Amino acid sequence: MPLVNMKQMLAHAHANGYAVGAFDLVSLDFLEAIMDAAERCRAPVILSLAESHFEYFDFELAMPAVVAAARRAKVPVAIHLDHGESLASAVRGINLGCNGVMVDASHLPLEENIAASRAVVEMARGCGVPVEGELGYVPGVEGEDAERHPGEITYTSVEDARRYVDETGVDFLAVSIGTVHGRMKGEPKLDFERLAAIDQALGIPLVIHGGTGLSDDQFRRLIENGVSKINYYTALADAAGVRIAANVAAGAKGYTAVVAGIRQAIAQEVERCIRLWGGADQADAVLAACEPWEPVEHIILYNLEGLDEQGARAMMAEGRRVLAPIPGVEVVDTGIAVQENAKYRYCWRIRFCHPAVIDSYREHPDHKAFADQRFRPHAGDRVSIDYQLVTRDSE
Ligand SMILES: [Zn+2]
């Protein structure tokens, strides 16, 4: 079950002088290609889902496949919400299975960026999930030509970076030092002195967005100066696009013929990046250094007094509705015993993404109100136990 704690994964990269690729995926072809390449390289990898891409696929439908791919992998994997636009987006991402989230409020003035980022960090801490913040502005849109989204690059300053990280508590920082999202004409000029100064001042893993189009030497110097996570998408989309165009030019008709070979094309570019950024053959060391990311099952077995069957079903329905949106809650299931003579007739099975949620859930006002007013008055006879799931074989 090599879904692992992302903070520890990036700490390993930061301490050992390489960068983990965070590859944005927009379809199952991307997912399979990224995992194939990572396993071929024996490398840690981050499966990244960007909110700006949610118009291209159904995030809620995609996540079970992404989680399944991570859980069956033989290399360490983290799942990241890229460019989360709001606190609500971050909660949704975590509850669907992301174990890292980015809050992108970098277009706001510093004070507002700090306030928005801090709110996400406070929520995510209660879920055990690390947060990436961004300071400065990396213009452009992933997968599009950069000149279509000109905007001015706003470089990250050392003083602002120090203040932002101190006041928000973010775990990783995306910096703006000259890259842009999407395709750029010519080679971008990167401010390595600025990057080195930020790295010296902060000492936390730094993140680069807009990795497409950088030279091998530029990547090497980024990593030397504290970059531990590189976001990468446009070149993968282009590799797939080139293959599709070639298929069509060769007379391909029909969906499967038109997209034939795009997985291999994407995987080839992912593999090139992983090897270039130093992640190859790091999988075993990362697995040894990182806690597995395992959920907790919060189980309650109970009997009801003063509620008939219809009342019981109404109470359970309300619970499913009220409890599911609480941060860190992945699943809320309610059940009725199959055997008439069962010792406990009803159950809750609530899945938390991480043990930290045991406390934050208990204190959450929506949980308190529901438990105090709707559940406990009728369910004096109950047992409640939290189980840490164990799915990885011990060696
Ligand atoms: Zn980005």
Side-chain angles (χ1 to χ4, degrees):
M1 103 85 240
L3 191 55
V4 301
N5 183 301
M6 181 170 153
K7 183 166 181 168
Q8 294 167 346
M9 177 195 271
L10 289 187
H12 186 270
H14 199 243
N16 290 279
Y18 67 94
V20 179
F23 300 100
D24 281 320
L25 60 95
V26 293
S27 74
L28 277 183
D29 284 313
F30 280 72
L31 175 61
E32 291 173 46
I34 295 162
M35 291 312 306
D36 282 353
E39 295 205 318
R40 232 172 13 236
C41 298
R42 295 291 306 152
V45 73
I46 296 172
L47 296 171
S48 186
L49 297 101
E51 189 162 1
S52 57
H53 288 158
F54 288 179
E55 61 186 291
Y56 306 125
F57 63 91
D58 186 324
F59 182 46
E60 207 173 306
L61 280 183
M63 279 303 290
V66 173
V67 172
R71 290 209 177 276
R72 79 173 184 187
K74 295 183 181 63
V75 295
V77 182
I79 303 173
H80 191 63
L81 174 70
D82 190 20
H83 289 286
E85 290 164 12
S86 64
L87 180 61
S89 310
V91 173
R92 181 167 178 245
I94 289 171
N95 289 10
L96 287 172
C98 293
N99 67 344
V101 293
M102 178 191 184
V103 48
D104 183 359
S106 62
H107 51 285
L108 298 174
L110 182 60
E111 298 293 336
E112 291 170 47
N113 186 359
I114 288 174
S117 303
R118 187 156 53 198
V120 171
V121 170
E122 278 169 14
M123 178 279 296
R125 283 277 180 278
C127 301
V129 170
V131 176
E132 173 184 336
E134 178 168 332
L135 190 63
Y137 178 61
V138 178
V141 173
E142 300 83 354
E144 298 188 13
D145 291 327
E147 58 263 35
R148 283 181 52 205
H149 301 271
E152 276 294 296
I153 297 177
T154 310
Y155 288 86
T156 307
S157 83
V158 179
E159 301 76 54
D160 286 355
R162 199 187 320 239
R163 185 173 157 216
Y164 174 83
V165 171
D166 281 350
E167 294 188 15
T168 60
V170 296
D171 301 280
F172 326 118
L173 182 67
V175 294
S176 174
I177 57 150
T179 59
V180 300
H181 288 114
R183 284 172 219 98
M184 206 179 175
K185 275 187 187 153
E187 192 177 274
K189 286 196 173 42
L190 304 186
D191 189 341
F192 289 108
E193 272 171 43
R194 181 184 297 270
L195 178 65
I198 294 170
D199 182 38
Q200 286 266 304
L202 302 184
I204 62 171
L206 302 178
V207 181
I208 284 292
H209 286 241
T212 292
L214 303 185
S215 69
D216 292 6
D217 187 55
Q218 285 178 317
F219 279 126
R220 190 179 52 71
R221 293 183 66 190
L222 288 173
I223 294 165
E224 275 172 12
N225 288 293
V227 169
S228 310
K229 171 175 177 279
I230 296 173
N231 280 39
Y232 204 77
Y233 168 70
T234 302
L236 307 184
D238 285 356
V242 166
R243 181 60 59 97
I244 288 169
N247 289 343
V248 170
K253 292 193 172 57
Y255 177 78
T256 51
V258 166
V259 300
I262 67 170
R263 257 190 343 247
Q264 290 77 358
I266 295 167
Q268 195 177 8
E269 177 63 7
V270 171
E271 182 170 350
R272 185 186 74 85
C273 292
I274 287 174
R275 295 193 186 282
L276 178 62
W277 302 339
D281 296 320
Q282 295 286 354
D284 292 338
V286 172
L287 281 173
C290 295
E291 288 164 15
W293 186 261
E294 300 268 32
V296 165
E297 294 276 3
H298 175 62
I299 307 279
I300 303 173
L301 309 177
Y302 62 100
N303 290 310
L304 288 172
E305 259 174 55
L307 277 184
D308 61 12
E309 194 77 6
Q310 200 185 352
R313 286 179 185 270
M315 183 274 291
M316 290 190 284
E318 187 181 332
R320 291 193 300 270
R321 195 172 59 248
V322 168
L323 303 175
I326 293 176
V329 172
E330 293 187 341
V331 178
V332 179
D333 281 335
T334 48
I336 301 176
V338 175
Q339 286 82 13
E340 279 291 333
N341 60 350
K343 186 168 180 201
Y344 295 102
R345 179 152 176 74
Y346 302 101
C347 78
W348 294 101
R349 191 184 66 138
I350 301 174
R351 175 171 286 203
F352 299 150
C353 69
H354 184 275
V357 184
I358 295 170
D359 290 334
S360 60
Y361 174 83
R362 191 189 300 118
E363 297 305 319
H364 194 282
D366 292 347
H367 167 256
K368 277 183 157 168
F370 177 78
D372 292 346
Q373 289 155 31
R374 291 287 279 126
F375 178 62
R376 289 183 189 135
H378 300 290
D381 180 20
R382 64 175 191 271
V383 289
S384 172
I385 303 177
D386 299 310
Y387 291 94
Q388 169 77 70
L389 294 196
V390 180
T391 59
R392 189 154 79 177
D393 298 339
S394 53
E395 279 96 65

